[in-house]
Amino acid sequence: MAIASVNPATGVVEREFDALDSAGVEQALSLAHETWLTYRGTSFDQRAEWLRAAADLLDADAASLAKTITAEMGKPLGQAEGEVHKSARVLRFYAEHAAEFLAPEPLSDPSTVDAQRAYVAYQPIGPVLAVMPWNYPVWQVIRFAAPALAAGNVGLLKHASNVPQTALYLQELFERAGFPKGAFQTLLISSRQVESVIRDPRVAAVTLTGSEPAGRSVASIAADEVKKAVLELGGSDPFVVLPSTDLDEAVAQGVAARISNNGQACINAKRFIVHEAVYAEFLEKFVDAFSKLRLGDPTDAATQVGPLSGEQAREDLLELIEDARAHGASVLVGGSAPEGPGWFLEPTVISNIPRSARLFYEEAFGPVASVHRVADIDEAIALANDTPFGLGAAAWTNDEAEQQRLAAELDAGNVVINGIVVSYQELPFGGTKRSGFGRELAAEGIREFTNVKSVRVG
Ligand code: NAP
């Protein structure tokens, strides 16, 4: 794919960029390595000051940066602005907490390890490559960069090919904030060039947020080089609705959980699993709400759902819908692409999906909700877990025993009862099964790319 900003609402190519050649990549890797040799020795206080400066710049740039995000990937402008402010908060969070998360941990009784003193230290490991997706083009990068830079690593970004202007902004942001040149660099490269960067001895580790095929490729190259990898991959999150819940609230939150970010978030609710006692009422209200959603220009404040990121993304979803229809599923609302420019897809609700349909197991990356009917909580949990993914899961019930069971038995990295799955910097974020491995955010996120060093002083 060419490196270009193509407005998904119009299909117009706004800007194109050349990929770095091998000499350009070499220059960047050499600068990253050189920078790291001194950057790793900077103090937590110094790094915190730069992180706070970056946060202030992000907040100040929010309105203009949001326009770039929306023009490149199509999310509603208000959501783009929200993403920028959320990113500023994670920068401040690690400015505040990095020293505490990475403080040496002394052993209370060092004599057990034949030492006078013994402790565990968390030390930076070097340049880390981040291969990132377009769907939260600022947040995904900052949630990697904030802990990486706070820990004393340096960052190399290979961003998705459709968000180059946002990618370039991010390098500039860290430079303007005062970080040494080379502490964070954007490499405008294609996915084919990623392998040589991972294999470069100066690169210590890699993190990828994106699809399963990309994750498999990146992680296998990293394994071949015996380098650490973190993978944040896809999800097909269940949204379980049981009879004791407030149904109107579950419907309203369920719609929001499916359509936010134009339905293109890893943690959007994608499979609605509803108890038969409330199924008919839920479905009627849910379909009604979907039919009233405003699809259109993402720069219009009234728009709730903007376009998909690209033509191929829409083709893939239309194929998934057609396949479901062909296998006997019922398309209750939407299901088609409206006439006109841009890569819009009508918000869609589908029920009666048999296991033979691709939609039953595959991730629908767009505003397409699957609705399933179950007889009881046992069937709800079994169906929720009947997926190759394990990223997030939401469940709605006011019964305490059910809440406990769901929290314990839903097989996902993030479980929410009576709420929707969102990431918080205070809580670790990541998946199980094919949603990946490793964690971002919180203390776990900053420790992923450190050398956990055991020290004994005799
Ligand atoms: P994608 O195609 O995998 O792209 C993600 C990144 O990987 C892009 O920078 C892409 O570069 C690069 N890439 C693709 N194939 C590669 C390869 N073989 N080797 C090296 N790099 C490669 O994913 P997407 O379609 O943009 O994003 C959607 C997916 O990401 C969904 O499955 C979604 O659920 C998942 N996601 C997960 C999380 C999470 O936190 N778990 C968050 C957001 C999204 P190019 O653009 O140049 O191809």
Side-chain angles (χ1 to χ4, degrees):
M1 189 206 272
I3 300 178
S5 307
V6 186
N7 191 324
T10 60
V12 172
V13 179
E14 298 197 339
R15 287 191 66 182
E16 284 182 282
F17 296 82
D18 289 328
L20 282 180
D21 58 14
S22 50
V25 174
E26 168 53 34
Q27 206 178 353
L29 292 180
S30 163
L31 177 61
H33 178 70
E34 285 303 313
T35 306
W36 183 61
L37 295 179
T38 48
Y39 183 71
R40 65 181 171 182
T42 54
S43 67
F44 281 111
D45 283 350
Q46 173 63 81
R47 293 178 218 147
E49 194 183 312
W50 291 328
L51 289 167
R52 287 194 184 96
D56 292 346
L57 288 168
L58 264 187
D59 279 336
D61 292 350
S64 64
L65 181 56
K67 282 188 189 146
T68 306
I69 294 173
T70 296
E72 288 196 307
M73 56 67 66
K75 77 174 66 180
L77 200 54
Q79 293 182 29
E81 244 183 89
E83 175 181 340
V84 176
H85 292 303
K86 180 172 176 169
S87 305
R89 289 197 292 278
V90 81
L91 286 162
R92 292 196 183 93
F93 176 78
Y94 281 108
E96 182 77 20
H97 296 288
E100 156 204 337
F101 291 151
L102 301 183
E105 293 168 351
L107 215 63
S108 56
D109 182 3
S111 70
T112 57
V113 294
D114 296 324
Q116 307 271 349
R117 275 190 309 125
Y119 57 92
V120 177
Y122 297 92
Q123 295 188 328
I125 54 172
V128 182
L129 172 68
V131 182
M132 290 287 140
W134 46 266
N135 64 339
Y136 289 91
V138 170
W139 165 248
Q140 299 288 358
V141 175
I142 299 285
R143 90 174 177 189
F144 149 73
L149 292 168
N153 295 314
V154 305
L156 291 162
L157 168 65
K158 181 273 181 273
H159 217 326
S161 302
N162 55 336
V163 290
Q165 295 184 70
T166 306
L168 291 171
Y169 168 89
L170 289 163
Q171 172 171 330
E172 236 180 79
L173 170 77
F174 289 110
E175 289 175 0
R176 283 160 65 210
F179 282 94
K181 205 168 159 49
F184 183 92
Q185 296 180 80
T186 290
L187 310 179
L188 287 186
I189 56 174
S190 72
S191 55
R192 285 184 308 281
Q193 292 169 284
V194 167
E195 175 165 0
S196 66
V197 178
I198 299 172
R199 291 198 187 279
D200 191 284
R202 292 163 293 191
V203 171
V206 60
T207 178
L208 177 137
T209 300
S211 62
E212 200 187 317
R216 189 178 296 115
S217 164
V218 160
S220 58
I221 297 163
D224 195 41
E225 292 292 333
V226 196
K227 287 183 184 176
K228 173 84 181 258
V230 166
L231 298 183
E232 295 285 0
L233 307 180
S236 191
D237 286 8
F239 187 100
V240 175
V241 181
L242 296 177
S244 66
T245 197
D246 174 342
L247 207 61
D248 288 332
E249 183 65 7
V251 169
Q253 297 286 334
V255 173
R258 178 58 285 213
I259 58 120
S260 71
N261 215 46
N262 302 340
Q264 300 167 116
C266 50
I267 48 173
N268 282 132
K270 291 171 186 143
R271 296 176 299 133
F272 294 81
I273 297 171
V274 186
H275 192 285
E276 62 185 12
V278 289
Y279 181 80
E281 192 184 345
F282 177 90
L283 195 59
E284 191 189 330
K285 291 180 168 169
F286 193 69
V287 168
D288 182 52
F290 258 67
S291 67
K292 291 180 179 146
L293 287 169
R294 280 188 70 152
L295 175 71
D297 176 2
T299 63
D300 179 342
T303 293
Q304 292 165 290
V305 186
L308 296 174
S309 63
E311 194 166 9
Q312 189 59 48
R314 185 169 69 173
E315 276 308 301
D316 291 349
L317 258 183
L318 284 168
E319 267 178 31
L320 210 56
I321 296 168
E322 278 323 302
D323 175 82
R325 237 196 272 261
H327 282 83
S330 315
V331 178
L332 302 174
V333 61
S336 312
E339 291 289 316
W343 297 304
F344 294 92
L345 179 81
E346 293 165 357
T348 301
V349 178
I350 306 183
S351 67
N352 300 319
I353 304 157
R355 278 190 163 70
S356 56
R358 287 174 50 207
L359 183 59
F360 193 93
Y361 288 114
E362 289 184 30
E363 176 184 26
F365 212 55
V368 178
S370 303
V371 187
H372 302 270
R373 174 192 185 120
V374 289
D376 54 30
I377 186 171
D378 295 324
E379 195 185 342
I381 292 171
L383 184 53
N385 290 339
D386 187 7
T387 165
F389 301 107
L391 193 55
W396 289 72
T397 169
N398 286 318
D399 179 305
E400 222 171 281
E402 286 181 350
Q403 292 177 351
Q404 280 174 15
R405 259 199 82 183
L406 289 155
E409 294 179 33
L410 288 173
D411 199 0
N414 312 267
V415 173
V416 183
I417 308 293
N418 295 337
I420 66 181
V421 181
V422 278
S423 55
Y424 287 97
Q425 59 209 10
E426 293 82 1
L427 287 170
F429 181 89
T432 59
K433 302 197 280 187
R434 293 205 169 188
S435 292
F437 47 73
R439 289 292 179 269
E440 294 192 285
L441 300 175
E444 286 78 359
I446 195 169
R447 289 178 181 165
E448 284 285 3
F449 294 118
T450 57
N451 171 19
V452 183
K453 187 186 273 183
S454 298
V455 180
R456 295 187 307 125
V457 181

